[in-house]
Amino acid sequence: MSTTDEDLWRVLREIDNMPYGAGQIAALEQLIRRVDTTDDRQLAFVTRMQCTTAYVYGGEPAKSFVTFSWCLAEFDRDPQPYHARAARQLLWHFKYMINALLNFPEVPLDRTRAVLDDMERRYRAGGHSLQAVHKHRFMVADHVGDAEAAAHWYQLWQTTPRDDLSDCAGCDPTTQVRYLADTGQHADAVALAEPVLAGRLNCNEQPQAILTTLLVPYLRTGRHDDARNAHREAYRRMRGNLADLWEIADHVEFRTVTGNEAGALELVERHLDWLDRAPSPAAAMQFAAAASAALRQVDGELTVYRRAATDRPAADVPAGRLAAELAETATALAARFDARNGTTHQSELIAQRLAARPTGEHLPLSASLRRRPVRPTATPAGGAPAAATASGITAAGGPPPAPAEIPTDASPDQLLDLAEERWRRHDPVTFRAALAAYDARFGGTEPSPATAAHRLELRAAELSDAEEIPAAIGAGRAALTAYQELGDEVRAQVVAGRVGVLLAMTEEGTEEGLALVGAAAEALERSGDDRLRAAAHDRVALALLYGQRWAEALDALDRVPAGAGGDPYLAARVALHRVQALDALERPQECREAAEEARRLGRELGVGDLLAAACLAYARSTDDPAEAVTACDEALAVASAGVSLPARVTRARALMATGRAGEAVDDLAEAVTLCVERGAEGDAFLRWELANAYRVAGRLGEAAEVAEEAVLGLDRLGAQAEADRCRHLLAGIYQGLGEIDPALALLAQLAENLDGPDNLPHRAQVLEEAGGILYDADRDAQAAQRFVEAAHAYELAGLALDELRARRREAYARLWAGDSAAAVRTVGEVDRLAATLAGEPDQEPPVTYELALAAEAGARVLADAGRLDEALDRLAGLPDRLRSIEAFGEAAQVDVLTGDLLLRLDRPAEAERLLRGVLGGLPAGSRLAEQSAWLLAQALDELGRSDEASEIRKEHNLDE
């Protein structure tokens, strides 16, 4: 075999480690072109056999017809020994062909049946069971809608013995479950699948295929939790695989019929462009029908983003128009299949799929929305959802308490006085009721100027509560003018202070607002009573807090008289404002004291929103997360809608700090739902936290789902730094799930995003992580390349120690990739870096550690290259240096390697002395202990002391 042929075989092995998809297909097609320029018939055959599998699982099955036919003809034309070795795989490929031929309406059924006949002939000739042949005859009958023939072949399939050409223990039951479900035998379908799911499934298509097939049986038998979990796990496994477009259609329909219209729309938009490169017309037909049904459940004017195709620009397409277009696509394809088959079966099936709609009770599927969000449809008259007000306290919302009794004989001024009193006491329900009574009874009369001014003042308060700040400012200015015209200086200054706070809440009115509140406070200091003076200074502080002028705000609060002029409600607000200032100034002890005072006052007053805000402030100020949880519980017990969201988030963070991630999940999921209900953008950030909570709780599937949602949301917000951090979290979750390729794709995207000079350390870290994942997956050649890229980034960042580590890992990757020459060259780079670091004075432990491991790596590479003496020389003194920094496990590892090299150099006596000492210090049963014992026994054998060697093997349970 020539060097060129050896290189091509090595490339083929590397391609075999690539994930299925367009990248592997492109690499194989390029390899075929190179192979065809050589005379290596075996390599040409093996490459095309591998290409057939890659086309089927990579979403381009039409191309597999060519490679399969080539291999079959080559197999028949001139049988060679290597053909015999591939005979079973070639017979297996017949099954791929039957499945694929059915899915292309341009392929006549007679051709498919002819391939089936050839398959049967070859199976018989090889003495194989016809179980797989019967299964595929059943599939043809089922496809054309011949129920009688399908039942016949199904029975034969089930009663014929299995053999090594039968589909796997997951795929055979998957087809059975589908048939049972299609014939209404849902309980039997579930019962058949249970032992299959309880076993070990390691096929490329499992368990996602059988879980997808179980979606409807689970629903029909009332096993909703199983249906939800099957959907989550199966869709997560197939969402990146074009070959699974048909099955993805099943998940779109599942979301539609379970009342998850938004979720179904999300899947349609995510996979819509796959229709432009669908693996087969059958898959395109199924997805188009399911997508059309899903789109019909949403507002027809809602737009769906569709990516550009060859003859179509990217565009936002109205859902209604797209639904009609996809329905036309699906029905046209069904008609083509029926024309080929001579039946109407496919059109009937597609009509059923197009008619899918929500049925039965809503089944929550999202890991981030535990219930269907209920968005408010209207704002109550005179009120609003909870919002920050000019008092700085969150207004009440949610189910309101009954208002206090409104006297039927109250005068206009009495009603307005009642409204103002209740506003100051945080009773928005009675506040609104009193104003409504005033408007109903006296709105058509001509009020006195003082009454009109008072109504304007309270109108500003209404608008402030409703977050209509510009309108509130306008009403406040009008009230201020009215009081000034009346000559009521005290009321004018009160209103001026409130208008000043409202202005301070706006970007453009800050300076005017501060001037107004300051002047009003000075005036009320001269003419107001204690309560008015206290309130005026509190308003100054609040305006300064809005401007983030924390120290000045605290000074203003210090000028509030003790007891807040006898107004406990005002005193509670002052305490809360003090908490805010002290927290920003990082004065934790005083902050906690102020929060406890606010909490005490809130309890005494019995006002829900004041107590909830005070408890929340305490929860955020305490160092004890358990106390924070208790405070949040107290807040949630009385919280209005406005406080429940921050209370849930604070409680979740405290629970995470106490190691109770499972409980934090519930709070964060509710917080996400609350955020969505209010139409707030922060749900993407909360989903990020929720994903991490799921991860810590060990619920990785749900963590992946929510992190994916968070990344999309953060990208939409333009929060790239946060989106990238969430991608990094998601990559780790994928790795934990064993989903290596999605993890690598995310890390590659991160490395690309972190392309600036300031991001070099982070870019290097991401590249090194990717290398580690590839190395652990035995994709060593690719791992080596990532370590090279990481080392280069570390070099540019000036991080020599990290560069050394990356180069060391590169050397190992090249060693295990079988590229000894490249590994030796990498050791040269490692030596160069190590020499630089070794020359530094006052060596820190991390440097000592990395230098030792670099020397060990070099020894292993050189030993593999046959340079045993050089390898042994590199290890001299390493164990002592490692033990000096308490790296005892690594020191023992180097000792064991030294013993191995001594044996290979025919120095068993030295090896025995070393290995006995090492073995005595290792935990019994550990990997290193077993390795040391095995080497020690070998040394004793070489020294002619076989009895002692046998004793060592017996003691450590080693084979003779």
Side-chain angles (χ1 to χ4, degrees):
M1 183 183 295
S2 69
T3 302
T4 300
D5 287 351
E6 289 178 359
D7 289 342
L8 293 177
W9 279 101
R10 181 172 55 80
V11 170
L12 180 60
R13 288 191 295 270
E14 290 176 4
I15 292 174
D16 187 46
N17 284 326
M18 293 176 66
Y20 292 122
Q24 187 190 51
I25 288 171
L28 280 167
E29 290 176 342
Q30 183 182 36
L31 180 59
I32 286 176
R33 289 191 290 271
R34 294 177 62 189
V35 168
D36 285 348
T37 65
T38 72
D39 296 325
D40 193 333
R41 289 177 56 196
Q42 180 181 358
L43 182 56
F45 180 83
V46 172
T47 303
R48 283 176 169 83
M49 288 288 288
Q50 188 165 321
C51 212
T52 298
T53 302
Y55 284 142
V56 169
Y57 288 108
E60 299 185 37
K63 292 182 177 180
S64 71
F65 301 153
V66 176
T67 53
F68 172 78
S69 299
W70 188 98
C71 290
L72 192 63
E74 175 73 8
F75 183 92
D76 290 340
R77 181 178 62 83
D78 183 20
Q80 297 291 321
Y82 60 81
H83 288 143
R85 291 193 294 272
R88 180 186 172 280
Q89 186 182 6
L90 193 61
L91 290 176
W92 189 280
H93 284 182
F94 268 95
K95 299 189 291 184
Y96 293 164
M97 294 305 105
I98 303 303
N99 290 334
L101 290 167
L102 282 178
N103 292 334
F104 289 83
E106 60 269 29
V107 178
L109 270 184
D110 287 345
R111 181 177 173 189
T112 302
R113 291 186 172 118
V115 175
L116 247 174
D117 291 342
D118 190 23
M119 176 182 175
E120 180 172 344
R121 179 183 64 81
R122 292 174 187 266
Y123 275 47
R124 285 186 185 277
H128 302 289
S129 170
L130 296 184
Q131 193 256 12
V133 177
H134 296 330
K135 174 181 179 177
H136 286 77
R137 291 199 186 280
F138 155 75
M139 293 170 68
V140 173
D142 189 56
H143 170 78
V144 301
D146 187 341
E148 184 177 347
H152 167 75
W153 289 112
Y154 182 86
Q155 182 65 23
L156 270 179
W157 165 35
Q158 295 305 302
T159 55
T160 301
R162 290 173 53 84
D163 68 357
D164 63 347
L165 285 174
S166 297
D167 282 344
C168 78
C171 290
D172 253 4
T174 296
T175 310
Q176 292 173 253
V177 168
R178 185 177 295 115
Y179 179 68
L180 292 171
D182 289 345
T183 53
Q185 303 174 70
H186 299 296
D188 291 340
V190 171
L192 186 150
E194 283 183 340
V196 177
L197 291 171
R200 183 176 180 86
L201 299 173
N202 52 16
C203 165
N204 287 321
E205 301 174 42
Q206 300 299 343
Q208 61 269 29
I210 195 167
L211 289 173
T212 299
T213 309
L214 282 166
L215 293 175
V216 172
Y218 277 148
L219 278 182
R220 296 292 181 267
T221 55
R223 297 175 60 162
H224 292 170
D225 286 343
D226 289 331
R228 180 191 298 112
N229 293 335
H231 165 65
R232 284 177 177 167
E233 181 173 356
Y235 175 70
R236 192 187 72 249
R237 288 174 177 267
M238 62 180 53
R239 69 190 181 282
N241 190 358
L242 177 64
D244 290 328
L245 182 61
W246 186 327
E247 287 74 17
I248 287 169
D250 294 336
H251 288 274
V252 172
E253 182 173 299
F254 178 73
R255 290 193 178 189
T256 299
V257 301
T258 54
N260 292 273
E261 299 89 345
L265 179 63
E266 178 190 342
L267 295 196
V268 171
E269 190 166 30
R270 183 180 297 172
H271 298 286
L272 185 59
D273 66 309
W274 285 16
L275 277 175
D276 300 316
R277 48 196 172 97
S280 68
M285 173 179 71
Q286 298 292 339
F287 183 81
S292 177
L295 290 165
R296 292 178 193 276
Q297 310 310 313
V298 301
D299 183 350
E301 296 304 312
L302 185 71
T303 60
V304 178
Y305 180 72
R306 179 161 61 178
R307 295 174 181 83
T310 305
D311 56 351
R312 186 194 67 231
D316 289 313
V317 186
R321 193 178 87 197
L322 184 58
E325 178 188 325
L326 295 177
E328 183 179 346
T329 297
T331 53
L333 283 168
R336 288 177 59 196
F337 278 105
D338 285 343
R340 187 217 29 206
N341 299 340
T343 68
T344 60
H345 185 60
Q346 292 299 315
S347 292
E348 292 165 4
L349 293 177
I350 290 305
Q352 292 174 19
R353 180 154 262 184
L354 285 167
R357 65 183 186 280
T359 56
E361 185 181 349
H362 169 68
L363 175 62
L365 297 179
S366 173
S368 56
L369 298 175
R370 298 289 190 80
R371 56 181 173 81
R372 189 193 292 265
V374 180
R375 297 182 186 273
T377 56
T379 297
T389 69
S391 68
I393 306 297
T394 304
E405 183 177 350
I406 308 297
T408 57
D409 58 349
S411 67
D413 289 330
Q414 287 174 328
L415 286 172
L416 295 181
D417 288 342
L418 174 63
E420 181 171 6
E421 178 199 10
R422 290 297 171 173
W423 185 64
R424 289 203 309 265
R425 291 181 172 224
H426 299 270
D427 179 3
V429 177
T430 306
F431 168 65
R432 289 193 294 265
L435 290 179
Y438 172 89
D439 292 340
R441 298 176 195 176
F442 306 109
T445 64
E446 184 69 30
S448 69
T451 302
H454 198 183
R455 183 64 185 93
L456 275 172
E457 177 186 353
L458 295 177
R459 178 59 180 157
E462 284 182 282
L463 292 167
S464 170
D465 287 353
E467 281 191 298
E468 298 179 33
I469 302 304
I473 292 171
R477 289 188 191 279
L480 174 59
T481 301
Y483 280 128
Q484 288 172 336
E485 290 174 353
L486 287 168
D488 189 339
E489 183 62 20
V490 171
R491 295 305 303 171
Q493 293 303 332
V494 169
V495 172
R498 292 175 181 166
V499 171
V501 171
L502 291 169
L503 285 165
M505 296 170 68
T506 68
E507 188 174 343
E508 65 281 359
T510 302
E511 293 306 318
E512 182 188 358
L514 288 172
L516 270 177
V517 293
E522 290 179 9
L524 289 170
E525 189 66 37
R526 294 189 300 270
S527 57
D529 59 22
D530 287 347
R531 193 195 66 78
L532 290 177
R533 288 198 298 274
H537 289 302
D538 180 60
R539 283 191 288 270
V540 172
L542 185 55
L544 289 164
L545 288 173
Y546 281 123
Q548 298 185 6
R549 294 163 67 168
W550 315 115
E552 296 171 75
L554 191 59
D555 289 342
L557 291 169
D558 287 340
R559 288 194 287 273
V560 174
D567 184 344
Y569 298 91
L570 175 57
R573 292 197 296 272
V574 169
L576 285 170
H577 296 155
R578 182 177 291 277
V579 170
Q580 186 178 355
L582 290 166
D583 181 52
L585 291 169
E586 298 183 358
R587 291 160 65 173
Q589 181 59 39
E590 295 168 86
C591 182
R592 282 192 293 275
E593 291 170 358
E596 186 56 48
E597 173 66 9
R599 196 176 177 191
R600 181 188 64 78
L601 288 168
R603 287 169 178 161
E604 290 177 359
L605 296 171
V607 176
D609 62 333
L610 271 178
L611 177 57
C615 289
L616 190 54
Y618 182 81
R620 289 170 172 168
S621 65
T622 182
D623 290 332
D624 185 342
E627 285 187 15
V629 172
T630 301
C632 287
D633 288 340
E634 186 177 359
L636 286 166
V638 297
S640 64
V643 179
S644 58
L645 173 57
R648 289 286 182 186
V649 175
T650 303
R651 186 176 191 271
R653 290 171 181 167
L655 287 167
M656 290 293 290
T658 60
R660 295 156 66 185
E663 296 172 69
V665 160
D666 296 331
D667 280 304
L668 286 168
E670 179 63 18
V672 170
T673 306
L674 290 168
C675 205
V676 171
E677 285 178 340
R678 297 174 195 183
E681 293 182 335
D683 70 289
F685 293 92
L686 290 177
R687 288 176 204 260
W688 178 16
E689 288 194 60
L690 175 57
N692 186 54
Y694 272 125
R695 179 191 66 82
V696 176
R699 297 162 64 176
L700 296 184
E702 292 151 298
E705 177 188 333
V706 178
E708 289 163 359
E709 296 169 354
V711 167
L712 289 172
L714 293 167
D715 276 340
R716 289 193 193 103
L717 293 174
Q720 182 176 330
E722 291 80 4
D724 283 345
R725 288 170 62 195
C726 191
R727 283 187 179 91
H728 192 251
L729 171 72
L730 181 54
I733 294 168
Y734 283 154
Q735 187 180 0
L737 287 165
E739 298 178 12
I740 301 303
D741 293 306
L744 292 170
L746 276 177
L747 292 175
Q749 183 179 355
L750 271 175
E752 184 178 343
N753 290 351
L754 298 168
D755 58 351
D758 293 341
N759 289 325
L760 277 171
H762 302 297
R763 174 181 168 82
Q765 178 188 348
V766 165
L767 290 167
E768 187 177 1
E769 284 182 34
I773 292 173
L774 288 162
Y775 185 82
D776 291 341
D778 294 330
R779 289 155 67 171
D780 299 305
Q782 295 169 267
Q785 184 56 41
R786 290 294 176 275
F787 289 137
V788 169
E789 294 167 4
H792 181 60
Y794 282 132
E795 179 184 17
L796 292 176
L799 299 172
L801 188 63
D802 298 289
E803 183 187 357
L804 175 64
R805 182 185 61 250
R807 288 294 186 187
R808 167 174 60 82
R809 300 182 77 182
E810 177 201 344
Y812 276 124
R814 295 201 184 281
L815 174 64
W816 291 113
D819 194 344
S820 180
V824 171
R825 288 195 296 273
T826 302
V827 168
E829 280 296 304
V830 170
D831 290 346
R832 178 185 62 80
L833 288 165
T836 302
L837 288 166
E840 295 180 359
D842 301 323
Q843 203 174 91
E844 293 292 326
V847 177
T848 300
Y849 183 82
E850 282 301 333
L851 288 172
L853 293 193
E856 179 194 1
R860 292 186 185 277
V861 169
L862 292 174
D864 180 75
R867 296 159 62 176
L868 301 181
D869 287 309
E870 295 176 65
L872 186 61
D873 289 344
R874 283 175 175 264
L875 300 180
L878 283 191
D880 289 339
R881 289 203 291 274
L882 285 166
R883 281 188 279 268
S884 74
I885 57 171
E886 300 185 358
F888 299 112
E890 290 84 347
Q893 184 171 285
V894 174
D895 277 330
V896 172
L897 175 58
T898 303
D900 183 31
L901 290 174
L902 287 169
L903 281 172
R904 293 167 67 182
L905 287 166
D906 296 324
R907 294 160 64 178
E910 296 172 72
E912 183 207 353
R913 287 194 297 273
L914 173 64
L915 291 168
R916 280 195 185 278
V918 173
L919 185 57
L922 291 173
S926 66
R927 182 188 61 82
L928 269 180
E930 291 181 359
Q931 189 177 355
S932 300
W934 189 87
L935 290 170
L936 176 58
Q938 182 182 346
L940 291 168
D941 279 334
E942 292 183 15
L943 291 168
R945 293 150 62 184
S946 299
D947 290 344
E948 293 178 61
S950 295
E951 285 298 320
I952 291 291
R953 293 189 179 100
K954 182 179 179 181
E955 180 183 349
H956 293 275
N957 297 314
L958 302 175
D959 294 334
E960 286 287 344

